Amino acid sequence: MTNQLLATTENANNQNSQNSQYTSLNDPEIVNVVAHINEEHLDELLGFLSVFTSLSTAELDRVDAQITDIYAEGIAIQTRPKSPENQPTGAQDNSLHDQIFFINFATPISQLDDLQAQYILLKQRADKKLGKKTIKLTKQVFDVQNSYRVSKNMLRLELSISSLDDAQSSDINGATISTSVPINEAGYAYLFDLEHNLTTNALMTDSIDGNEADDNAVNDSEKNNVCPTRPHCYYTLRKAWHTDDGIRAWVDVFLHGDTSGGNWAAALKTGETVVTKREFPEKVEHLRDGQAVLIVDETSMPTAARLLELWNNPKPPLIICVTQDADDQSYFDTVKMRSSIDNKIDCDIQSNSNDHFTVLPIVTNQANSGSDLATLIDSTLGDYLTDNPLQIDKAWGALEANTAKALRPLLRERLTLSRTDVVVKVYWRHD
Ligand SMILES: Cc1cc2nc3c(=O)[nH]c(=O)nc-3n(C[C@H](O)[C@H](O)[C@H](O)COP(=O)(O)OP(=O)(O)OC[C@H]3O[C@@H](n4cnc5c(N)ncnc54)[C@H](O)[C@@H]3O)c2cc1C
């Protein structure tokens, strides 16, 4: 393979094993980052190849891709022809061979910490060219209106944004402040800035220095809010809707002990502001047709609930809902699936579907992590399918990292589905 694939304006070139022309970052962490990207972000790598190289969609369908290294100037992605049994039916391929492509960053990086910003820029460029929704680095400021429990351990934050602010502006640091909140999107996630409330709380408590705060002056949760061990945390937009004076939104936070995110949420008071600094859409487009199974734990129940409310598929999904506590299974009790009548109008599809979804509960009495949980989920699904013969065409789930990793191949094998039809995201990591 000798052809120079693209001009530099297209961001990529064929590497031809000329690694020496790129600058090594000499960071032992790279191996873990590479493994993570290969495990979690394959679709993004394929998107980069599709946009920044001359590989056609048909060729991309016939190759596996993986990142092999990260350099100061960009990333190296290797493609390999899929094994014959994984080739699309009818594909006749004699031309593909192993290739390595180099995708250039917009600006070279000097350390691994700078990778995220450059990777996001690549993703934004690729998604834009592919006409896909993408990650946004915008800042939004919401007002806290209320908070209350919706199940034993699920705290609902009710937030608002005034329509008076319904325009884009910049803050003092030049970051874009946006007020567009997606009303009709399931799984849209915001990165909440936990430190923003550290700052505002500290101001309100007479400029307590986080390091020297008098332990008696604040209760435990406030103390943790003053010193969050993590500066930010992703939470999903459970639902948003227009009101007379702007937009209201729910964000449901699973409280699981004394943790940064939970303490932050539990300490929020009406009238305070919360700030988000990044947002991105969930990968759920594949659920528009076919029989779907949704596999959730407490962190992804909000995504599944919104998916149901916006369900745009004549077949109701099967839901596997794993909770530590039996009392959190009630979360779905008040969720109404979008009516099949709406679906028929929208999709112009004749169907005998009904508005009822089935929830298969799994209560574990422990934190829902690890590969054993994947085995339990897989066998529960297997037992259900034995009793209720159903052809599952699509799967979506979001779970703990090790559970997700173990579950993906189990589902693909049990349901004989391709990678693109089985989307199991990582929503959290067990320490
Ligand atoms: C795209 C996306 C959307 C998300 N949406 C939501 C949402 O809507 N609601 C929501 O509650 N979460 C959601 N999460 C998950 C949330 O961001 C993580 O659970 C986050 O780690 C919680 O932060 P924390 O401060 O509570 O715990 P961490 O600081 O992450 O961890 C502290 C300790 O708690 C443990 N831990 C962390 N999470 C869990 C858990 N879920 N169950 C048991 N133990 C845990 C860790 O192993 C660690 O020991 C989402 C994550 C992503 C990536």
Side-chain angles (χ1 to χ4, degrees), residues 189 230 233-236 252-254 256 259-262 280 298-299 302 367 426-431:
R230 53 187 302 158
C233 198
Y234 273 112
Y235 291 112
T236 305
D252 291 350
V253 177
F254 172 47
H256 53 92
T259 65
S260 319
F280 75 90
E298 298 92 341
T299 63
V426 170
Y427 267 14
W428 64 282
R429 280 169 203 284
H430 188 62
D431 278 354

PDB file of all heavy atoms in Angstrom, residues 189 230 233-236 252-254 256 259-262 280 298-299 302 367 426-431, ligand 1:
ATOM      1  N   ALA A 189     -26.433  14.374  27.364  1.00  0.00           N
ATOM      2  CA  ALA A 189     -25.731  14.467  28.653  1.00  0.00           C
ATOM      3  C   ALA A 189     -24.990  15.784  28.793  1.00  0.00           C
ATOM      4  O   ALA A 189     -24.484  16.338  27.815  1.00  0.00           O
ATOM      5  CB  ALA A 189     -24.744  13.315  28.786  1.00  0.00           C
ATOM      6  N   ARG A 230     -13.777  15.259  42.529  1.00  0.00           N
ATOM      7  CA  ARG A 230     -13.803  15.370  41.071  1.00  0.00           C
ATOM      8  C   ARG A 230     -14.394  16.725  40.709  1.00  0.00           C
ATOM      9  O   ARG A 230     -15.371  17.161  41.312  1.00  0.00           O
ATOM     10  CB  ARG A 230     -14.570  14.214  40.447  1.00  0.00           C
ATOM     11  CG  ARG A 230     -15.962  14.001  41.012  1.00  0.00           C
ATOM     12  CD  ARG A 230     -16.614  12.756  40.486  1.00  0.00           C
ATOM     13  NE  ARG A 230     -16.696  12.799  39.046  1.00  0.00           N
ATOM     14  CZ  ARG A 230     -16.819  11.714  38.280  1.00  0.00           C
ATOM     15  NH1 ARG A 230     -16.885  10.534  38.842  1.00  0.00           N
ATOM     16  NH2 ARG A 230     -16.887  11.817  36.991  1.00  0.00           N
ATOM     17  N   CYS A 233     -18.877  16.182  36.535  1.00  0.00           N
ATOM     18  CA  CYS A 233     -19.556  14.884  36.491  1.00  0.00           C
ATOM     19  C   CYS A 233     -20.652  14.933  35.431  1.00  0.00           C
ATOM     20  O   CYS A 233     -21.346  15.940  35.295  1.00  0.00           O
ATOM     21  CB  CYS A 233     -20.181  14.658  37.866  1.00  0.00           C
ATOM     22  SG  CYS A 233     -20.606  12.975  38.183  1.00  0.00           S
ATOM     23  N   TYR A 234     -20.778  13.854  34.672  1.00  0.00           N
ATOM     24  CA  TYR A 234     -21.827  13.791  33.650  1.00  0.00           C
ATOM     25  C   TYR A 234     -23.169  13.379  34.247  1.00  0.00           C
ATOM     26  O   TYR A 234     -23.234  12.408  35.002  1.00  0.00           O
ATOM     27  CB  TYR A 234     -21.477  12.739  32.583  1.00  0.00           C
ATOM     28  CG  TYR A 234     -20.624  13.281  31.472  1.00  0.00           C
ATOM     29  CD1 TYR A 234     -19.308  12.869  31.330  1.00  0.00           C
ATOM     30  CD2 TYR A 234     -21.129  14.206  30.571  1.00  0.00           C
ATOM     31  CE1 TYR A 234     -18.512  13.372  30.309  1.00  0.00           C
ATOM     32  CE2 TYR A 234     -20.345  14.708  29.549  1.00  0.00           C
ATOM     33  CZ  TYR A 234     -19.040  14.290  29.422  1.00  0.00           C
ATOM     34  OH  TYR A 234     -18.261  14.787  28.421  1.00  0.00           O
ATOM     35  N   TYR A 235     -24.201  14.108  33.900  1.00  0.00           N
ATOM     36  CA  TYR A 235     -25.560  13.683  34.192  1.00  0.00           C
ATOM     37  C   TYR A 235     -26.421  13.939  32.955  1.00  0.00           C
ATOM     38  O   TYR A 235     -26.171  14.865  32.190  1.00  0.00           O
ATOM     39  CB  TYR A 235     -26.134  14.426  35.414  1.00  0.00           C
ATOM     40  CG  TYR A 235     -25.459  14.014  36.710  1.00  0.00           C
ATOM     41  CD1 TYR A 235     -24.653  14.906  37.415  1.00  0.00           C
ATOM     42  CD2 TYR A 235     -25.587  12.719  37.211  1.00  0.00           C
ATOM     43  CE1 TYR A 235     -24.006  14.529  38.582  1.00  0.00           C
ATOM     44  CE2 TYR A 235     -24.944  12.328  38.377  1.00  0.00           C
ATOM     45  CZ  TYR A 235     -24.156  13.240  39.054  1.00  0.00           C
ATOM     46  OH  TYR A 235     -23.510  12.841  40.191  1.00  0.00           O
ATOM     47  N   THR A 236     -27.448  13.102  32.812  1.00  0.00           N
ATOM     48  CA  THR A 236     -28.286  13.148  31.616  1.00  0.00           C
ATOM     49  C   THR A 236     -29.448  14.112  31.794  1.00  0.00           C
ATOM     50  O   THR A 236     -30.002  14.226  32.893  1.00  0.00           O
ATOM     51  CB  THR A 236     -28.862  11.728  31.369  1.00  0.00           C
ATOM     52  OG1 THR A 236     -27.770  10.824  31.311  1.00  0.00           O
ATOM     53  CG2 THR A 236     -29.669  11.648  30.098  1.00  0.00           C
ATOM     54  N   ASP A 252     -31.777  13.618  36.880  1.00  0.00           N
ATOM     55  CA  ASP A 252     -31.927  12.648  37.968  1.00  0.00           C
ATOM     56  C   ASP A 252     -30.569  12.097  38.372  1.00  0.00           C
ATOM     57  O   ASP A 252     -29.857  11.489  37.571  1.00  0.00           O
ATOM     58  CB  ASP A 252     -32.842  11.496  37.523  1.00  0.00           C
ATOM     59  CG  ASP A 252     -34.288  11.965  37.355  1.00  0.00           C
ATOM     60  OD1 ASP A 252     -34.595  13.109  37.757  1.00  0.00           O
ATOM     61  OD2 ASP A 252     -35.098  11.186  36.826  1.00  0.00           O
ATOM     62  N   VAL A 253     -30.239  12.306  39.636  1.00  0.00           N
ATOM     63  CA  VAL A 253     -28.911  11.919  40.137  1.00  0.00           C
ATOM     64  C   VAL A 253     -29.053  10.752  41.109  1.00  0.00           C
ATOM     65  O   VAL A 253     -29.779  10.859  42.114  1.00  0.00           O
ATOM     66  CB  VAL A 253     -28.239  13.119  40.854  1.00  0.00           C
ATOM     67  CG1 VAL A 253     -26.898  12.711  41.453  1.00  0.00           C
ATOM     68  CG2 VAL A 253     -28.077  14.293  39.886  1.00  0.00           C
ATOM     69  N   PHE A 254     -28.360   9.661  40.808  1.00  0.00           N
ATOM     70  CA  PHE A 254     -28.375   8.495  41.688  1.00  0.00           C
ATOM     71  C   PHE A 254     -27.443   8.774  42.865  1.00  0.00           C
ATOM     72  O   PHE A 254     -26.262   9.059  42.683  1.00  0.00           O
ATOM     73  CB  PHE A 254     -27.917   7.259  40.894  1.00  0.00           C
ATOM     74  CG  PHE A 254     -27.702   6.024  41.721  1.00  0.00           C
ATOM     75  CD1 PHE A 254     -28.649   5.617  42.659  1.00  0.00           C
ATOM     76  CD2 PHE A 254     -26.559   5.253  41.549  1.00  0.00           C
ATOM     77  CE1 PHE A 254     -28.449   4.468  43.418  1.00  0.00           C
ATOM     78  CE2 PHE A 254     -26.354   4.100  42.290  1.00  0.00           C
ATOM     79  CZ  PHE A 254     -27.292   3.713  43.231  1.00  0.00           C
ATOM     80  N   HIS A 256     -25.415   7.385  45.827  1.00  0.00           N
ATOM     81  CA  HIS A 256     -24.910   6.067  46.237  1.00  0.00           C
ATOM     82  C   HIS A 256     -23.810   6.241  47.270  1.00  0.00           C
ATOM     83  O   HIS A 256     -22.683   5.778  47.100  1.00  0.00           O
ATOM     84  CB  HIS A 256     -24.416   5.283  45.016  1.00  0.00           C
ATOM     85  CG  HIS A 256     -23.423   6.047  44.194  1.00  0.00           C
ATOM     86  ND1 HIS A 256     -22.081   5.953  44.395  1.00  0.00           N
ATOM     87  CD2 HIS A 256     -23.598   6.950  43.219  1.00  0.00           C
ATOM     88  CE1 HIS A 256     -21.473   6.756  43.555  1.00  0.00           C
ATOM     89  NE2 HIS A 256     -22.359   7.387  42.825  1.00  0.00           N
ATOM     90  N   THR A 259     -20.282  10.616  47.909  1.00  0.00           N
ATOM     91  CA  THR A 259     -19.458  10.816  46.704  1.00  0.00           C
ATOM     92  C   THR A 259     -19.611  12.255  46.210  1.00  0.00           C
ATOM     93  O   THR A 259     -20.587  12.933  46.529  1.00  0.00           O
ATOM     94  CB  THR A 259     -19.870   9.859  45.570  1.00  0.00           C
ATOM     95  OG1 THR A 259     -21.197  10.189  45.154  1.00  0.00           O
ATOM     96  CG2 THR A 259     -19.818   8.404  46.001  1.00  0.00           C
ATOM     97  N   SER A 260     -18.668  12.670  45.393  1.00  0.00           N
ATOM     98  CA  SER A 260     -18.635  14.069  44.945  1.00  0.00           C
ATOM     99  C   SER A 260     -19.926  14.472  44.244  1.00  0.00           C
ATOM    100  O   SER A 260     -20.519  15.505  44.553  1.00  0.00           O
ATOM    101  CB  SER A 260     -17.481  14.292  43.979  1.00  0.00           C
ATOM    102  OG  SER A 260     -16.351  13.633  44.395  1.00  0.00           O
ATOM    103  N   GLY A 261     -20.324  13.661  43.249  1.00  0.00           N
ATOM    104  CA  GLY A 261     -21.502  14.019  42.465  1.00  0.00           C
ATOM    105  C   GLY A 261     -22.766  14.029  43.322  1.00  0.00           C
ATOM    106  O   GLY A 261     -23.563  14.966  43.276  1.00  0.00           O
ATOM    107  N   GLY A 262     -22.938  12.982  44.115  1.00  0.00           N
ATOM    108  CA  GLY A 262     -24.130  12.876  44.960  1.00  0.00           C
ATOM    109  C   GLY A 262     -24.170  13.997  45.992  1.00  0.00           C
ATOM    110  O   GLY A 262     -25.224  14.605  46.226  1.00  0.00           O
ATOM    111  N   PHE A 280     -23.138  16.305  25.172  1.00  0.00           N
ATOM    112  CA  PHE A 280     -23.087  15.478  23.968  1.00  0.00           C
ATOM    113  C   PHE A 280     -24.277  14.540  23.845  1.00  0.00           C
ATOM    114  O   PHE A 280     -24.869  14.142  24.841  1.00  0.00           O
ATOM    115  CB  PHE A 280     -21.757  14.734  23.841  1.00  0.00           C
ATOM    116  CG  PHE A 280     -21.588  13.561  24.741  1.00  0.00           C
ATOM    117  CD1 PHE A 280     -21.987  12.300  24.351  1.00  0.00           C
ATOM    118  CD2 PHE A 280     -20.984  13.701  25.975  1.00  0.00           C
ATOM    119  CE1 PHE A 280     -21.811  11.214  25.167  1.00  0.00           C
ATOM    120  CE2 PHE A 280     -20.800  12.614  26.794  1.00  0.00           C
ATOM    121  CZ  PHE A 280     -21.212  11.370  26.393  1.00  0.00           C
ATOM    122  N   GLU A 298     -28.796   2.227  37.597  1.00  0.00           N
ATOM    123  CA  GLU A 298     -29.392   3.471  38.116  1.00  0.00           C
ATOM    124  C   GLU A 298     -28.928   4.694  37.331  1.00  0.00           C
ATOM    125  O   GLU A 298     -29.667   5.676  37.219  1.00  0.00           O
ATOM    126  CB  GLU A 298     -29.032   3.660  39.593  1.00  0.00           C
ATOM    127  CG  GLU A 298     -29.541   2.582  40.537  1.00  0.00           C
ATOM    128  CD  GLU A 298     -28.543   1.454  40.746  1.00  0.00           C
ATOM    129  OE1 GLU A 298     -27.618   1.287  39.919  1.00  0.00           O
ATOM    130  OE2 GLU A 298     -28.687   0.729  41.751  1.00  0.00           O
ATOM    131  N   THR A 299     -27.702   4.681  36.812  1.00  0.00           N
ATOM    132  CA  THR A 299     -27.168   5.862  36.137  1.00  0.00           C
ATOM    133  C   THR A 299     -27.767   6.050  34.738  1.00  0.00           C
ATOM    134  O   THR A 299     -27.754   7.150  34.204  1.00  0.00           O
ATOM    135  CB  THR A 299     -25.633   5.789  36.003  1.00  0.00           C
ATOM    136  OG1 THR A 299     -25.282   4.688  35.186  1.00  0.00           O
ATOM    137  CG2 THR A 299     -24.968   5.665  37.356  1.00  0.00           C
ATOM    138  N   PRO A 302     -32.373   7.248  33.658  1.00  0.00           N
ATOM    139  CA  PRO A 302     -32.923   8.476  33.076  1.00  0.00           C
ATOM    140  C   PRO A 302     -32.912   8.472  31.540  1.00  0.00           C
ATOM    141  O   PRO A 302     -33.862   8.937  30.902  1.00  0.00           O
ATOM    142  CB  PRO A 302     -32.003   9.576  33.633  1.00  0.00           C
ATOM    143  CG  PRO A 302     -31.482   9.014  34.918  1.00  0.00           C
ATOM    144  CD  PRO A 302     -31.308   7.540  34.645  1.00  0.00           C
ATOM    145  N   ALA A 367     -23.290  -2.839  44.683  1.00  0.00           N
ATOM    146  CA  ALA A 367     -23.005  -1.914  43.577  1.00  0.00           C
ATOM    147  C   ALA A 367     -22.943  -2.702  42.278  1.00  0.00           C
ATOM    148  O   ALA A 367     -22.387  -3.806  42.229  1.00  0.00           O
ATOM    149  CB  ALA A 367     -21.688  -1.193  43.827  1.00  0.00           C
ATOM    150  N   VAL A 426     -20.253   3.074  28.566  1.00  0.00           N
ATOM    151  CA  VAL A 426     -19.740   3.139  29.941  1.00  0.00           C
ATOM    152  C   VAL A 426     -20.227   4.448  30.558  1.00  0.00           C
ATOM    153  O   VAL A 426     -19.907   5.515  30.063  1.00  0.00           O
ATOM    154  CB  VAL A 426     -18.200   3.097  29.939  1.00  0.00           C
ATOM    155  CG1 VAL A 426     -17.652   3.414  31.324  1.00  0.00           C
ATOM    156  CG2 VAL A 426     -17.706   1.745  29.467  1.00  0.00           C
ATOM    157  N   TYR A 427     -21.006   4.365  31.621  1.00  0.00           N
ATOM    158  CA  TYR A 427     -21.483   5.579  32.295  1.00  0.00           C
ATOM    159  C   TYR A 427     -20.705   5.846  33.589  1.00  0.00           C
ATOM    160  O   TYR A 427     -20.761   6.931  34.129  1.00  0.00           O
ATOM    161  CB  TYR A 427     -22.981   5.484  32.597  1.00  0.00           C
ATOM    162  CG  TYR A 427     -23.874   6.079  31.515  1.00  0.00           C
ATOM    163  CD1 TYR A 427     -23.384   6.389  30.248  1.00  0.00           C
ATOM    164  CD2 TYR A 427     -25.215   6.354  31.757  1.00  0.00           C
ATOM    165  CE1 TYR A 427     -24.205   6.934  29.265  1.00  0.00           C
ATOM    166  CE2 TYR A 427     -26.037   6.904  30.778  1.00  0.00           C
ATOM    167  CZ  TYR A 427     -25.524   7.187  29.534  1.00  0.00           C
ATOM    168  OH  TYR A 427     -26.342   7.736  28.566  1.00  0.00           O
ATOM    169  N   TRP A 428     -20.032   4.827  34.117  1.00  0.00           N
ATOM    170  CA  TRP A 428     -19.231   5.077  35.317  1.00  0.00           C
ATOM    171  C   TRP A 428     -18.195   3.968  35.492  1.00  0.00           C
ATOM    172  O   TRP A 428     -18.274   2.934  34.823  1.00  0.00           O
ATOM    173  CB  TRP A 428     -20.116   5.221  36.561  1.00  0.00           C
ATOM    174  CG  TRP A 428     -20.895   4.004  36.969  1.00  0.00           C
ATOM    175  CD1 TRP A 428     -22.043   3.558  36.402  1.00  0.00           C
ATOM    176  CD2 TRP A 428     -20.581   3.089  38.029  1.00  0.00           C
ATOM    177  NE1 TRP A 428     -22.471   2.419  37.035  1.00  0.00           N
ATOM    178  CE2 TRP A 428     -21.593   2.119  38.056  1.00  0.00           C
ATOM    179  CE3 TRP A 428     -19.558   3.007  38.973  1.00  0.00           C
ATOM    180  CZ2 TRP A 428     -21.613   1.072  38.965  1.00  0.00           C
ATOM    181  CZ3 TRP A 428     -19.573   1.965  39.894  1.00  0.00           C
ATOM    182  CH2 TRP A 428     -20.596   1.009  39.882  1.00  0.00           C
ATOM    183  N   ARG A 429     -17.234   4.240  36.362  1.00  0.00           N
ATOM    184  CA  ARG A 429     -16.144   3.287  36.617  1.00  0.00           C
ATOM    185  C   ARG A 429     -16.081   2.966  38.093  1.00  0.00           C
ATOM    186  O   ARG A 429     -16.121   3.863  38.924  1.00  0.00           O
ATOM    187  CB  ARG A 429     -14.797   3.903  36.223  1.00  0.00           C
ATOM    188  CG  ARG A 429     -14.554   3.827  34.778  1.00  0.00           C
ATOM    189  CD  ARG A 429     -13.393   4.642  34.292  1.00  0.00           C
ATOM    190  NE  ARG A 429     -13.615   4.908  32.885  1.00  0.00           N
ATOM    191  CZ  ARG A 429     -13.430   4.007  31.924  1.00  0.00           C
ATOM    192  NH1 ARG A 429     -12.927   2.809  32.233  1.00  0.00           N
ATOM    193  NH2 ARG A 429     -13.721   4.280  30.679  1.00  0.00           N
ATOM    194  N   HIS A 430     -15.966   1.688  38.380  1.00  0.00           N
ATOM    195  CA  HIS A 430     -15.814   1.277  39.777  1.00  0.00           C
ATOM    196  C   HIS A 430     -14.370   1.493  40.184  1.00  0.00           C
ATOM    197  O   HIS A 430     -13.454   1.132  39.448  1.00  0.00           O
ATOM    198  CB  HIS A 430     -16.195  -0.204  39.912  1.00  0.00           C
ATOM    199  CG  HIS A 430     -16.248  -0.658  41.331  1.00  0.00           C
ATOM    200  ND1 HIS A 430     -17.120  -0.128  42.231  1.00  0.00           N
ATOM    201  CD2 HIS A 430     -15.519  -1.582  41.985  1.00  0.00           C
ATOM    202  CE1 HIS A 430     -16.944  -0.716  43.403  1.00  0.00           C
ATOM    203  NE2 HIS A 430     -15.974  -1.595  43.277  1.00  0.00           N
ATOM    204  N   ASP A 431     -14.156   2.075  41.336  1.00  0.00           N
ATOM    205  CA  ASP A 431     -12.775   2.306  41.805  1.00  0.00           C
ATOM    206  C   ASP A 431     -12.087   0.981  42.094  1.00  0.00           C
ATOM    207  O   ASP A 431     -12.668   0.103  42.694  1.00  0.00           O
ATOM    208  CB  ASP A 431     -12.793   3.126  43.105  1.00  0.00           C
ATOM    209  CG  ASP A 431     -12.941   4.592  42.801  1.00  0.00           C
ATOM    210  OD1 ASP A 431     -12.904   4.961  41.615  1.00  0.00           O
ATOM    211  OD2 ASP A 431     -13.108   5.346  43.769  1.00  0.00           O
TER     212      ASP A 431
HETATM  213  C1  LIG B   1     -23.000  10.194  29.437  1.00  0.00           C
HETATM  214  C2  LIG B   1     -23.277   9.930  30.897  1.00  0.00           C
HETATM  215  C3  LIG B   1     -24.510  10.185  31.442  1.00  0.00           C
HETATM  216  C4  LIG B   1     -24.755   9.945  32.792  1.00  0.00           C
HETATM  217  N1  LIG B   1     -25.986  10.215  33.315  1.00  0.00           N
HETATM  218  C5  LIG B   1     -26.225  10.015  34.634  1.00  0.00           C
HETATM  219  C6  LIG B   1     -27.488  10.338  35.223  1.00  0.00           C
HETATM  220  O1  LIG B   1     -28.382  10.853  34.556  1.00  0.00           O
HETATM  221  N2  LIG B   1     -27.661  10.089  36.549  1.00  0.00           N
HETATM  222  C7  LIG B   1     -26.676   9.547  37.317  1.00  0.00           C
HETATM  223  O2  LIG B   1     -26.891   9.353  38.523  1.00  0.00           O
HETATM  224  N3  LIG B   1     -25.474   9.214  36.787  1.00  0.00           N
HETATM  225  C8  LIG B   1     -25.229   9.458  35.481  1.00  0.00           C
HETATM  226  N4  LIG B   1     -24.009   9.162  34.952  1.00  0.00           N
HETATM  227  C9  LIG B   1     -23.032   8.512  35.798  1.00  0.00           C
HETATM  228  C10 LIG B   1     -22.280   9.470  36.668  1.00  0.00           C
HETATM  229  O3  LIG B   1     -21.589  10.438  35.886  1.00  0.00           O
HETATM  230  C11 LIG B   1     -21.276   8.589  37.457  1.00  0.00           C
HETATM  231  O4  LIG B   1     -21.937   7.612  38.198  1.00  0.00           O
HETATM  232  C12 LIG B   1     -20.409   9.340  38.342  1.00  0.00           C
HETATM  233  O5  LIG B   1     -19.290   8.542  38.586  1.00  0.00           O
HETATM  234  C13 LIG B   1     -21.039   9.651  39.688  1.00  0.00           C
HETATM  235  O6  LIG B   1     -20.097  10.442  40.409  1.00  0.00           O
HETATM  236  P1  LIG B   1     -19.914  10.282  41.937  1.00  0.00           P
HETATM  237  O7  LIG B   1     -19.218  11.516  42.382  1.00  0.00           O
HETATM  238  O8  LIG B   1     -21.237   9.973  42.555  1.00  0.00           O
HETATM  239  O9  LIG B   1     -18.982   9.014  42.118  1.00  0.00           O
HETATM  240  P2  LIG B   1     -17.444   8.839  41.684  1.00  0.00           P
HETATM  241  O10 LIG B   1     -16.629   9.998  42.144  1.00  0.00           O
HETATM  242  O11 LIG B   1     -17.353   8.490  40.245  1.00  0.00           O
HETATM  243  O12 LIG B   1     -17.040   7.552  42.478  1.00  0.00           O
HETATM  244  C14 LIG B   1     -16.987   7.511  43.906  1.00  0.00           C
HETATM  245  C15 LIG B   1     -17.213   6.087  44.354  1.00  0.00           C
HETATM  246  O13 LIG B   1     -18.524   5.686  44.038  1.00  0.00           O
HETATM  247  C16 LIG B   1     -18.500   4.549  43.191  1.00  0.00           C
HETATM  248  N5  LIG B   1     -19.537   4.740  42.195  1.00  0.00           N
HETATM  249  C17 LIG B   1     -19.568   5.658  41.208  1.00  0.00           C
HETATM  250  N6  LIG B   1     -20.702   5.560  40.513  1.00  0.00           N
HETATM  251  C18 LIG B   1     -21.405   4.555  41.073  1.00  0.00           C
HETATM  252  C19 LIG B   1     -22.654   3.972  40.809  1.00  0.00           C
HETATM  253  N7  LIG B   1     -23.427   4.388  39.826  1.00  0.00           N
HETATM  254  N8  LIG B   1     -23.076   2.944  41.585  1.00  0.00           N
HETATM  255  C20 LIG B   1     -22.315   2.509  42.598  1.00  0.00           C
HETATM  256  N9  LIG B   1     -21.107   3.021  42.905  1.00  0.00           N
HETATM  257  C21 LIG B   1     -20.670   4.025  42.158  1.00  0.00           C
HETATM  258  C22 LIG B   1     -17.122   4.499  42.581  1.00  0.00           C
HETATM  259  O14 LIG B   1     -16.729   3.175  42.304  1.00  0.00           O
HETATM  260  C23 LIG B   1     -16.289   5.094  43.688  1.00  0.00           C
HETATM  261  O15 LIG B   1     -15.949   4.101  44.619  1.00  0.00           O
HETATM  262  C24 LIG B   1     -23.745   9.418  33.619  1.00  0.00           C
HETATM  263  C25 LIG B   1     -22.480   9.174  33.056  1.00  0.00           C
HETATM  264  C26 LIG B   1     -22.246   9.421  31.712  1.00  0.00           C
HETATM  265  C27 LIG B   1     -20.877   9.143  31.141  1.00  0.00           C
END
